[in-house]
PDB file of all heavy atoms in Angstrom:
ATOM      1  N   VAL A 162      -6.856   8.502  17.589  1.00 96.00           N
ATOM      2  CA  VAL A 162      -5.902   8.242  18.644  1.00 96.00           C
ATOM      3  C   VAL A 162      -4.628   9.271  18.407  1.00 96.00           C
ATOM      4  O   VAL A 162      -4.249   9.953  19.282  1.00 96.00           O
ATOM      5  CB  VAL A 162      -5.322   6.834  18.660  1.00 96.00           C
ATOM      6  CG1 VAL A 162      -4.086   6.736  19.536  1.00 96.00           C
ATOM      7  CG2 VAL A 162      -6.420   5.925  19.141  1.00 96.00           C
ATOM      8  N   ALA A 163      -4.297   9.398  17.130  1.00 95.00           N
ATOM      9  CA  ALA A 163      -3.135  10.293  16.791  1.00 95.00           C
ATOM     10  C   ALA A 163      -3.530  11.795  17.132  1.00 95.00           C
ATOM     11  O   ALA A 163      -2.726  12.557  17.617  1.00 95.00           O
ATOM     12  CB  ALA A 163      -2.816  10.143  15.308  1.00 95.00           C
ATOM     13  N   VAL A 164      -4.765  12.185  16.844  1.00 95.00           N
ATOM     14  CA  VAL A 164      -5.208  13.520  17.140  1.00 95.00           C
ATOM     15  C   VAL A 164      -5.141  13.772  18.680  1.00 95.00           C
ATOM     16  O   VAL A 164      -4.630  14.751  19.140  1.00 95.00           O
ATOM     17  CB  VAL A 164      -6.577  13.843  16.652  1.00 95.00           C
ATOM     18  CG1 VAL A 164      -7.138  15.149  17.214  1.00 95.00           C
ATOM     19  CG2 VAL A 164      -6.639  13.852  15.091  1.00 95.00           C
ATOM     20  N   LYS A 165      -5.601  12.788  19.425  1.00 95.00           N
ATOM     21  CA  LYS A 165      -5.546  12.923  20.873  1.00 95.00           C
ATOM     22  C   LYS A 165      -4.158  13.023  21.393  1.00 95.00           C
ATOM     23  O   LYS A 165      -3.884  13.882  22.241  1.00 95.00           O
ATOM     24  CB  LYS A 165      -6.254  11.588  21.542  1.00 95.00           C
ATOM     25  CG  LYS A 165      -7.739  11.719  21.489  1.00 95.00           C
ATOM     26  CD  LYS A 165      -8.312  10.422  22.039  1.00 95.00           C
ATOM     27  CE  LYS A 165      -9.808  10.290  21.681  1.00 95.00           C
ATOM     28  NZ  LYS A 165     -10.376   8.981  21.772  1.00 95.00           N
ATOM     29  N   GLU A 166      -3.246  12.205  20.883  1.00 93.00           N
ATOM     30  CA  GLU A 166      -1.913  12.278  21.272  1.00 93.00           C
ATOM     31  C   GLU A 166      -1.278  13.623  20.927  1.00 93.00           C
ATOM     32  O   GLU A 166      -0.546  14.174  21.787  1.00 93.00           O
ATOM     33  CB  GLU A 166      -1.026  11.182  20.539  1.00 93.00           C
ATOM     34  CG  GLU A 166      -1.366   9.766  20.909  1.00 93.00           C
ATOM     35  CD  GLU A 166      -0.751   9.443  22.247  1.00 93.00           C
ATOM     36  OE1 GLU A 166       0.252  10.060  22.622  1.00 93.00           O
ATOM     37  OE2 GLU A 166      -1.176   8.387  22.903  1.00 93.00           O
ATOM     38  N   ASN A 167      -1.594  14.115  19.682  1.00 92.00           N
ATOM     39  CA  ASN A 167      -1.017  15.370  19.257  1.00 92.00           C
ATOM     40  C   ASN A 167      -1.386  16.585  20.228  1.00 92.00           C
ATOM     41  O   ASN A 167      -0.588  17.494  20.419  1.00 92.00           O
ATOM     42  CB  ASN A 167      -1.413  15.609  17.859  1.00 92.00           C
ATOM     43  CG  ASN A 167      -0.683  16.746  17.305  1.00 92.00           C
ATOM     44  OD1 ASN A 167       0.573  16.781  17.126  1.00 92.00           O
ATOM     45  ND2 ASN A 167      -1.427  17.931  16.847  1.00 92.00           N
ATOM     46  N   PHE A 168      -2.637  16.517  20.652  1.00 92.00           N
ATOM     47  CA  PHE A 168      -3.170  17.688  21.382  1.00 92.00           C
ATOM     48  C   PHE A 168      -3.173  17.469  22.923  1.00 92.00           C
ATOM     49  O   PHE A 168      -3.590  18.390  23.609  1.00 92.00           O
ATOM     50  CB  PHE A 168      -4.564  18.126  20.896  1.00 92.00           C
ATOM     51  CG  PHE A 168      -4.464  18.739  19.495  1.00 92.00           C
ATOM     52  CD1 PHE A 168      -4.915  17.969  18.459  1.00 92.00           C
ATOM     53  CD2 PHE A 168      -4.092  19.958  19.196  1.00 92.00           C
ATOM     54  CE1 PHE A 168      -4.959  18.400  17.163  1.00 92.00           C
ATOM     55  CE2 PHE A 168      -4.037  20.424  17.973  1.00 92.00           C
ATOM     56  CZ  PHE A 168      -4.431  19.745  16.916  1.00 92.00           C
ATOM     57  N   ALA A 169      -2.717  16.237  23.333  1.00 92.00           N
ATOM     58  CA  ALA A 169      -2.869  15.854  24.758  1.00 92.00           C
ATOM     59  C   ALA A 169      -2.292  17.028  25.733  1.00 92.00           C
ATOM     60  O   ALA A 169      -2.836  17.314  26.709  1.00 92.00           O
ATOM     61  CB  ALA A 169      -2.186  14.563  25.007  1.00 92.00           C
ATOM     62  N   ARG A 170      -1.102  17.517  25.345  1.00 90.00           N
ATOM     63  CA  ARG A 170      -0.451  18.379  26.339  1.00 90.00           C
ATOM     64  C   ARG A 170      -1.153  19.736  26.372  1.00 90.00           C
ATOM     65  O   ARG A 170      -0.863  20.591  27.153  1.00 90.00           O
ATOM     66  CB  ARG A 170       0.984  18.599  25.948  1.00 90.00           C
ATOM     67  CG  ARG A 170       1.234  19.264  24.599  1.00 90.00           C
ATOM     68  CD  ARG A 170       2.764  19.190  24.127  1.00 90.00           C
ATOM     69  NE  ARG A 170       2.809  19.422  22.733  1.00 90.00           N
ATOM     70  CZ  ARG A 170       2.891  20.596  22.182  1.00 90.00           C
ATOM     71  NH1 ARG A 170       2.785  21.611  22.915  1.00 90.00           N
ATOM     72  NH2 ARG A 170       2.848  20.683  20.858  1.00 90.00           N
ATOM     73  N   LYS A 171      -2.133  20.018  25.451  1.00 89.00           N
ATOM     74  CA  LYS A 171      -2.905  21.293  25.505  1.00 89.00           C
ATOM     75  C   LYS A 171      -4.223  21.098  26.320  1.00 89.00           C
ATOM     76  O   LYS A 171      -4.967  22.049  26.425  1.00 89.00           O
ATOM     77  CB  LYS A 171      -3.217  21.720  24.109  1.00 89.00           C
ATOM     78  CG  LYS A 171      -1.963  22.130  23.353  1.00 89.00           C
ATOM     79  CD  LYS A 171      -2.267  22.847  22.069  1.00 89.00           C
ATOM     80  CE  LYS A 171      -0.952  23.291  21.379  1.00 89.00           C
ATOM     81  NZ  LYS A 171      -1.127  23.687  20.042  1.00 89.00           N
ATOM     82  N   GLY A 172      -4.430  19.934  26.894  1.00 91.00           N
ATOM     83  CA  GLY A 172      -5.595  19.795  27.779  1.00 91.00           C
ATOM     84  C   GLY A 172      -6.816  19.108  27.105  1.00 91.00           C
ATOM     85  O   GLY A 172      -6.855  19.072  25.885  1.00 91.00           O
ATOM     86  N   GLU A 173      -7.685  18.692  27.958  1.00 93.00           N
ATOM     87  CA  GLU A 173      -8.803  17.808  27.447  1.00 93.00           C
ATOM     88  C   GLU A 173      -9.810  18.677  26.532  1.00 93.00           C
ATOM     89  O   GLU A 173     -10.215  18.118  25.497  1.00 93.00           O
ATOM     90  CB  GLU A 173      -9.565  17.421  28.720  1.00 93.00           C
ATOM     91  CG  GLU A 173     -10.318  16.082  28.434  1.00 93.00           C
ATOM     92  CD  GLU A 173     -11.027  15.544  29.681  1.00 93.00           C
ATOM     93  OE1 GLU A 173     -10.424  15.732  30.731  1.00 93.00           O
ATOM     94  OE2 GLU A 173     -12.114  15.037  29.558  1.00 93.00           O
ATOM     95  N   ASP A 174     -10.006  19.896  26.836  1.00 92.00           N
ATOM     96  CA  ASP A 174     -10.942  20.732  26.002  1.00 92.00           C
ATOM     97  C   ASP A 174     -10.429  20.785  24.527  1.00 92.00           C
ATOM     98  O   ASP A 174     -11.198  20.619  23.664  1.00 92.00           O
ATOM     99  CB  ASP A 174     -11.034  22.155  26.624  1.00 92.00           C
ATOM    100  CG  ASP A 174     -11.836  22.162  27.888  1.00 92.00           C
ATOM    101  OD1 ASP A 174     -12.356  21.187  28.269  1.00 92.00           O
ATOM    102  OD2 ASP A 174     -11.865  23.276  28.526  1.00 92.00           O
ATOM    103  N   VAL A 175      -9.172  21.099  24.439  1.00 93.00           N
ATOM    104  CA  VAL A 175      -8.562  21.242  23.151  1.00 93.00           C
ATOM    105  C   VAL A 175      -8.652  19.900  22.374  1.00 93.00           C
ATOM    106  O   VAL A 175      -9.078  19.889  21.215  1.00 93.00           O
ATOM    107  CB  VAL A 175      -7.083  21.697  23.181  1.00 93.00           C
ATOM    108  CG1 VAL A 175      -6.431  21.760  21.759  1.00 93.00           C
ATOM    109  CG2 VAL A 175      -6.996  23.048  23.858  1.00 93.00           C
ATOM    110  N   VAL A 176      -8.408  18.783  23.106  1.00 95.00           N
ATOM    111  CA  VAL A 176      -8.523  17.460  22.448  1.00 95.00           C
ATOM    112  C   VAL A 176      -9.947  17.238  21.954  1.00 95.00           C
ATOM    113  O   VAL A 176     -10.152  16.893  20.835  1.00 95.00           O
ATOM    114  CB  VAL A 176      -8.072  16.371  23.462  1.00 95.00           C
ATOM    115  CG1 VAL A 176      -8.411  14.976  22.907  1.00 95.00           C
ATOM    116  CG2 VAL A 176      -6.638  16.505  23.802  1.00 95.00           C
TER     117      VAL A 176
END
Side-chain angles (χ1 to χ4, degrees):
Chain A
V162 170
V164 171
K165 280 177 195 158
E166 292 280 341
N167 188 62
F168 292 104
R170 64 192 161 84
K171 293 189 177 170
E173 206 176 324
D174 288 353
V175 178
V176 170

